[in-house]
Amino acid sequence: MDPIDFGDISDLRIRLQVLAEEADRRLVTVFGSGISSEVLPNVPQLTEIFRAHVPKAGLARFDATVAEATDPGVKYQNAAAVLTKQAGEHTVMRAIRTAVLQACPDVTEKDVAEVARDAERCREYVKTGNWTIPRGYQRFAKFFASLNGRVRGPIITTNFDPLIEIALQQAGVPSHPIPIPTDTTPTPQQLKEAIAQPVLHIHGYWTGMATSNVPTRITSERPGLDDVLKELLTNSVVLVVGYSGWLDGFMKSLRSRVLNKTDLLQAEVLWAAYESDAAAATSGVIGEFVGAPGFTLYLGVDGHELFTDELGEDEAETEETSSPFGYSRVPQFPVVPASYQPEAFAEGSQPVWADAAPGRWPVLSSTVSLEQKVVESLRVGGGGGAVAIGPLGEGKSLALRQVAHAVAGSRPEWNVLWREPGAPALTKDWLNDVRAAGKTLICVDEADLIMDAMASTKDVWAAEGSGIAFLLASHDRLWWQGAGSTLRPWIDDVLFHGITDDDARNIALTWQELGLLPDGNQEVETVTERLATSAGAMAAESNTLFGAVLDVRYGADLGARVEDLVRKLHEIKLTDSVDLGDVFGGICVMQHALDKDGNRGKGASRSVIAAMAGLDPVFADGKILQTLGREAAVTFAGNRVYCRHPSIAATVVDYLAREGTAAKVYELVGQAGGVRLVRNASTLEGYRDAYLLSRSLPAPESVWAATGAVKGTGLRVLESRVSLLRVFRLEAKQRAGAFARGLAPRLKTYDDYGGAVRAFLVEYSISLRNEGEAQTSVGLAALALDDRVGYALVEDRAGYALVSLAKSAAALNAQTSNAATRDAPALCAILLERVCGTEIASKYLSRYRPPAHHELRQLSTVKLCGQLATMFDKAAAQAVQATKVDLETHGVLSFDTLRRLADRPRWSASR
């Protein structure tokens, strides 16, 4: 291999500096024993400590077993295996504690054995003792503390000792060890809820009950650990330092990610090898990684020398910039990276911190009001704050950053913290800890994520002078539908919707200053007038500000620009069959069909977006959404993702049809919803909007979406097939009947048979009625009302079946002139009125409703149901035989549940 393929310690330092400046991905650091061995026993020395704990009767066996191996690592593992078998797990742990205590000078040599026996005393020494910390950990901790909170990812180590946690604590970063000696792992949600920097000890922790030392335990399959690592590595920069590369749980997981090139999941692996010789460094598993996308090997890296003062800060600066886990401290003096390009924000991309630097973009009138409201709370020592509310695309996110910078620069006595994605829950304990460090302004975009927690913790922060204030932004719908109204006594709302004439002029002046005026050499006054006029014309619409910017910058050329964007996104492959353009198209399809202005909460959820690319929900925020945000394509409202403007979404939907990819995209959305359904996703994930998208579409789009839902649910779900049957029927094509006939004999093979069978019977009934088979149609509709079919009959299903039965009975009467069933449509109409109300009955069966004083209206519900059952008992039995529907019949129909629904007291006579 050519040496040019590899980097050195200088290259790695530069790469880490770029990561710190760009703050676009989190750093996941993996430490092996190569760092801690500076102050702790190395592998051969630890093997000797194990020998000292072996019973005398077992020494010969121990020595013979250890001697069999030549590799020091294998000797260590064999030593641990023998000690475990001869003296038990607790003795192994005592030996490990003996080794770790050598880094604690407070424990004298004569006391080590006694302290090592007591795990509780060891824990106390972690809190109060003096420890010798390796230089590599000390320097890393200072570097880590200086990082933006968004960049600070979990730390993974194979070591048992607490030295990395102690180093972090000394640098101002609270940390917490998470022992994972077996495959009992923390869930992703538990890691998200951590209130301190998590350090995952994947071979166990020194004060625990067990560790992974023996070969079988180190090399065993650990699917739980693999799942956790899969999430942690996604969209991360993974730095590996001081790690020998044993094929343990971590290496197996990383190996599967790296070697399966489609499964690296946007991770970038930076492997710091101590060896300077390429041949030595690439022996074993590491050699398999070289050349894989996203993997870079750095040779000759001494982990103690990697993190220097150039990468970190001095102690005073570190203390000033450190922040709680999941938060970034907004700096008093912001630095704009040399790589910053203002064009991105002018084109509509999500704002970054450089966009909010003082003097970069104009402070609009609403932003001034937001700052004034926040400052009022700060003047009295906290106890309140302000929230920017409004529709999508009104500048709230930029305003939040601008005000955060302004407060950090003008009020140094306040700590200004910015909440990053995945930050821990807002609890009373957390708020008290933050307040203990000084008066704190907590800044949160997408504030709907914390407003419930704010309401439950107001005893801590809401009193004047509490030392805590909030600067928030939220979509207005999410804020007021949540706990926003309960917070109004303390949190002032500032409306962001539209711009003033002065705002328009300031935007135009900034465009001129940056050389970004549209159409080249337009006059500022012309652009100002166009912005103000466009915003005024859109005043009644959502996205007033961004809509006006789009109109002025692109006008009639918007369609061509959007098409160029989609073509560009098609070049970014997510899997062999799905690209970023397909996913963006899915976002636009859902918005255009369900939630044009982003105010109904029915846009594409992060869960659905990830599923479109065949990934788990946690992966949506990686390459997918970050790239779309940079490309000015999407914005966010809570857990939902939207195209930046309804006109863009409409343009994309139109382009998909002309491009010929519409069928693929609609199917992809439905399939994503179906996949999340069968994986038992929570409804909070928002998958049902995608899964049932077909119900909001015309043909042929509805067929594409429903087909996708069937593919996503596989062989388990009947409901998705009922939806497809419905859209086939609405197409007015013969496909509906043929599709239903194929389903009928195997209904009970589906997991959700009980919940979906009634809907199937009604849809099949309507399909047959459309084909002129009224006799069979009426029998299936009657069966859909029977007590003993599927789950208990509910109001909506009863109404649906009654409408179908009435229309099928009318069709049968027209064919046969049978006096016995002449009154059936009227009976159905009366029952529909009693079950669902007069409004529904008038809407669906108005032609069959008898006059107010008609004799049929005098009949009790018992008699109405009895007459219907008598009329269609035979038709129901014949329908089962004719259709071969997989359904048990009981001789006569039973409508007792229908009767109870019709007789129950109603809250409104108009229903």
Side-chain angles (χ1 to χ4, degrees):
M1 287 173 280
D2 194 320
I4 197 67
D5 292 335
F6 309 117
D8 59 18
I9 192 169
S10 297
D11 295 320
L12 184 52
R13 285 173 178 164
I14 293 170
R15 178 66 190 90
L16 292 174
Q17 191 63 53
V18 170
L19 172 68
E21 291 175 355
E22 293 184 350
D24 60 341
R25 286 195 285 177
R26 66 180 179 179
L27 174 68
V28 175
T29 313
V30 182
F31 285 113
S33 61
I35 303 296
S36 59
S37 61
E38 183 182 57
V39 299
L40 291 178
N42 57 27
V43 169
Q45 291 168 335
L46 188 54
T47 302
E48 285 301 310
I49 292 175
F50 282 170
R51 187 179 189 279
H53 285 76
V54 172
K56 289 183 179 179
L59 277 174
R61 174 71 180 275
F62 179 92
D63 291 339
T65 304
V66 171
E68 290 176 358
T70 56
D71 180 83
V74 178
K75 285 180 179 289
Y76 161 78
Q77 294 177 42
N78 289 349
V82 174
L83 182 58
T84 301
K85 288 183 290 186
Q86 293 186 352
E89 197 82 61
H90 69 286
T91 304
V92 175
M93 293 307 304
R94 190 166 75 242
I96 288 172
R97 287 195 283 270
T98 299
V100 171
L101 286 169
Q102 293 189 25
C104 184
D106 287 356
V107 182
T108 64
E109 185 175 348
K110 69 181 183 64
D111 292 334
V112 166
E114 180 183 351
V115 174
R117 290 177 179 275
D118 191 338
E120 191 56 44
R121 289 186 66 183
C122 292
R123 294 188 188 97
E124 192 61 33
Y125 273 110
V126 172
K127 299 175 184 177
T128 62
N130 295 309
W131 291 80
T132 303
I133 308 299
R135 291 169 298 145
Y137 283 165
Q138 292 177 352
R139 293 172 174 177
F140 165 77
K142 289 182 179 181
F143 166 71
F144 196 74
S146 73
L147 293 175
N148 183 306
R150 186 183 187 89
V151 183
R152 292 191 214 161
I155 295 168
I156 301 170
T157 181
T158 58
N159 301 330
F160 312 128
D161 60 78
L163 300 181
I164 182 60
E165 287 90 345
I166 295 172
L168 290 168
Q169 291 283 154
Q170 293 175 350
V173 180
S175 61
H176 178 66
I178 300 177
I180 313 178
T182 63
D183 204 39
T184 302
T185 58
T187 66
Q189 186 60 38
Q190 288 172 325
L191 290 178
K192 289 178 182 178
E193 292 173 356
I195 61 174
Q197 176 65 43
V199 180
L200 278 66
H201 291 259
I202 59 174
H203 288 176
Y205 190 59
W206 76 304
T207 59
M209 299 298 293
T211 57
S212 290
N213 297 282
V214 300
T216 53
R217 202 177 289 173
I218 288 178
T219 60
S220 64
E221 296 298 324
R222 300 175 69 181
L225 176 63
D226 185 63
D227 288 344
V228 171
L229 292 175
K230 182 178 180 181
E231 176 171 346
L232 296 184
L233 301 183
T234 298
N235 196 47
S236 300
V237 174
V238 183
L239 173 66
V240 184
V241 183
Y243 193 71
S244 63
W246 290 357
L247 197 57
D248 59 358
F250 170 76
M251 281 299 289
K252 285 186 175 183
S253 182
L254 184 63
R255 186 188 198 188
S256 68
R257 305 278 89 75
V258 174
L259 299 185
N260 182 357
K261 298 180 181 180
T262 63
D263 199 25
L264 190 52
L265 304 173
Q266 297 85 55
E268 180 183 354
V269 180
L270 314 177
W271 193 287
Y274 182 76
E275 297 87 354
S276 298
D277 179 64
T282 56
S283 62
V285 178
I286 306 302
E288 300 178 32
F289 293 177
V290 174
F295 181 86
T296 305
L297 180 63
Y298 299 85
L299 301 176
V301 179
D302 183 340
H304 299 294
E305 303 298 329
L306 174 58
F307 302 100
T308 67
D309 290 338
E310 294 176 1
L311 278 172
E313 308 282 347
D314 62 34
E315 291 186 12
E317 291 172 329
T318 298
E319 184 176 352
E320 180 182 346
T321 56
S322 63
S323 56
F325 177 61
Y327 285 77
S328 297
R329 186 180 298 274
V330 179
Q332 187 176 359
F333 305 106
V335 177
V336 178
S339 59
Y340 171 68
Q341 297 292 330
E343 294 90 340
F345 182 69
E347 301 297 325
S349 68
Q350 290 289 101
V352 296
W353 280 106
D355 293 315
R360 175 59 59 187
W361 290 102
V363 177
L364 304 185
S365 54
S366 296
T367 308
V368 172
S369 298
L370 182 67
E371 183 177 353
Q372 290 172 344
K373 295 292 186 182
V374 170
V375 168
E376 289 175 12
S377 179
L378 302 184
R379 282 175 181 159
V380 297
V387 57
I389 60 171
L392 303 173
E394 295 293 345
K396 301 185 297 298
S397 294
L398 177 63
L400 211 65
R401 287 167 169 78
Q402 288 176 323
V403 175
H405 269 318
V407 171
S410 63
R411 295 181 175 271
E413 71 275 16
W414 281 84
N415 300 320
V416 183
L417 299 181
W418 182 271
R419 185 184 191 274
E420 302 291 354
L426 203 68
T427 64
K428 291 183 178 181
D429 288 342
W430 187 91
L431 288 168
N432 283 323
D433 288 343
V434 166
R435 181 169 52 187
K439 293 186 292 186
T440 303
L441 175 66
I442 300 172
C443 309
V444 185
D445 206 351
E446 300 182 44
D448 59 286
L449 299 175
I450 68 158
M451 58 185 172
D452 289 335
M454 287 179 64
S456 65
T457 59
K458 62 180 182 294
D459 291 347
V460 175
W461 62 263
E464 186 174 305
S466 70
I468 294 175
F470 288 94
L471 170 62
L472 312 170
S474 175
H475 191 289
D476 48 2
R477 179 192 60 81
L478 294 173
W479 182 255
W480 296 125
Q481 287 186 1
S485 57
T486 67
L487 297 172
R488 201 162 200 173
W490 306 279
I491 305 296
D492 292 318
D493 52 280
V494 179
L495 181 62
F496 278 64
H497 195 184
I499 55 175
T500 65
D501 290 347
D502 285 343
D503 292 336
R505 178 171 177 77
N506 289 333
I507 293 171
L509 286 170
T510 304
W511 284 349
Q512 181 188 51
E513 177 188 341
L514 296 173
L516 298 175
L517 281 174
D519 300 331
N521 53 9
Q522 281 193 39
E523 295 293 330
V524 168
E525 295 304 326
T526 302
V527 175
T528 299
E529 182 179 352
R530 289 181 60 195
L531 270 172
T533 301
S534 181
M538 297 180 182
E541 304 293 333
S542 297
N543 294 104
T544 303
L545 174 57
F546 188 60
V549 169
L550 283 177
D551 184 41
V552 171
R553 294 192 71 83
Y554 306 115
D557 295 330
L558 177 63
R561 174 174 173 75
V562 170
E563 291 179 12
D564 287 342
L565 170 63
V566 176
R567 281 192 287 268
K568 180 180 178 182
L569 296 176
H570 277 319
E571 297 174 1
I572 304 174
K573 300 296 182 182
L574 300 174
T575 68
D576 290 341
S577 59
V578 178
D579 58 53
L580 199 55
D582 299 328
V583 173
F584 180 50
I587 293 170
C588 293
V589 158
M590 289 194 66
Q591 180 172 351
H592 189 65
L594 304 174
D595 196 0
K596 285 185 171 61
D597 297 320
N599 57 14
R600 300 181 61 210
K602 288 185 169 293
S605 68
R606 286 170 163 85
S607 169
V608 165
I609 289 167
M612 279 193 268
L615 303 174
D616 288 334
V618 295
F619 304 134
D621 284 313
K623 181 176 181 180
I624 297 173
L625 293 185
Q626 284 193 10
T627 303
L628 291 177
R630 286 195 299 267
E631 295 294 339
V634 297
T635 188
F636 309 93
N639 188 43
R640 303 297 177 129
V641 182
Y642 296 90
C643 176
R644 293 283 284 161
H645 194 271
S647 62
I648 295 178
T651 302
V652 171
V653 170
D654 179 66
Y655 177 61
L656 293 175
R658 290 186 286 106
E659 183 191 36
T661 59
K664 174 186 178 182
V665 170
Y666 282 94
E667 186 173 305
L668 196 61
V669 172
Q671 184 171 343
V675 166
R676 296 309 303 153
L677 170 73
V678 298
R679 293 186 182 175
N680 299 316
S682 163
T683 54
L684 296 177
E685 286 189 16
Y687 71 88
R688 288 195 70 83
D689 294 316
Y691 171 60
L692 300 176
L693 178 64
S694 62
R695 299 186 182 183
S696 303
L697 299 170
E701 290 90 341
S702 60
V703 175
W704 300 333
T707 300
V710 170
K711 289 183 177 180
T713 55
L715 302 176
R716 297 174 51 186
V717 179
L718 177 60
E719 182 189 40
S720 60
R721 287 160 174 80
V722 174
S723 294
L724 182 55
L725 172 58
R726 176 180 177 273
V727 298
F728 281 158
R729 173 177 61 77
L730 293 175
E731 266 193 315
K733 296 182 178 179
Q734 295 300 313
R735 282 199 288 180
F739 185 65
R741 290 182 182 92
L743 289 175
R746 47 193 175 91
L747 292 179
K748 290 185 178 177
T749 64
Y750 297 105
D751 293 349
D752 62 333
Y753 161 83
V757 64
R758 294 185 191 275
F760 169 77
L761 291 170
V762 172
E763 286 297 340
Y764 197 178
S765 167
I766 299 172
S767 300
L768 292 177
R769 184 172 73 241
N770 291 341
E771 294 179 3
E773 297 186 29
Q775 178 75 28
T776 306
S777 172
V778 79
L780 292 179
L783 281 169
L785 290 165
D786 190 90
D787 295 329
R788 296 156 298 190
V789 172
Y791 294 157
L793 189 66
V794 295
E795 179 180 310
D796 291 344
R797 290 297 187 204
Y800 193 32
L802 282 168
V803 171
S804 181
L805 181 58
K807 293 180 177 180
S808 295
L812 180 63
N813 290 341
Q815 288 179 3
T816 65
S817 300
N818 188 343
T821 60
R822 180 187 58 197
D823 292 334
L827 296 178
C828 290
I830 297 170
L831 284 169
L832 181 63
E833 185 177 307
R834 295 182 185 181
V835 172
C836 298
T838 56
E839 185 178 338
I840 297 295
S842 297
K843 180 177 180 180
Y844 292 102
L845 294 180
S846 59
R847 64 184 297 185
Y848 304 124
R849 293 178 68 207
H853 300 292
H854 194 280
E855 60 183 10
L856 289 177
R857 288 190 173 275
Q858 311 310 312
L859 296 177
S860 67
T861 302
V862 172
K863 290 187 176 180
L864 292 173
C865 291
Q867 287 191 24
L868 274 182
T870 301
M871 288 179 187
F872 299 120
D873 277 339
K874 186 176 180 180
Q878 290 175 341
V880 171
Q881 292 181 350
T883 61
K884 296 182 175 59
V885 65
D886 188 8
L887 199 70
E888 292 181 10
T889 57
H890 301 272
V892 294
L893 294 170
S894 174
F895 291 161
D896 283 346
T897 306
L898 177 62
R899 174 189 58 76
R900 286 194 294 270
L901 289 173
D903 278 343
R904 77 193 192 285
R906 303 200 56 78
W907 59 268
S908 171
S910 65
R911 285 273 327 268

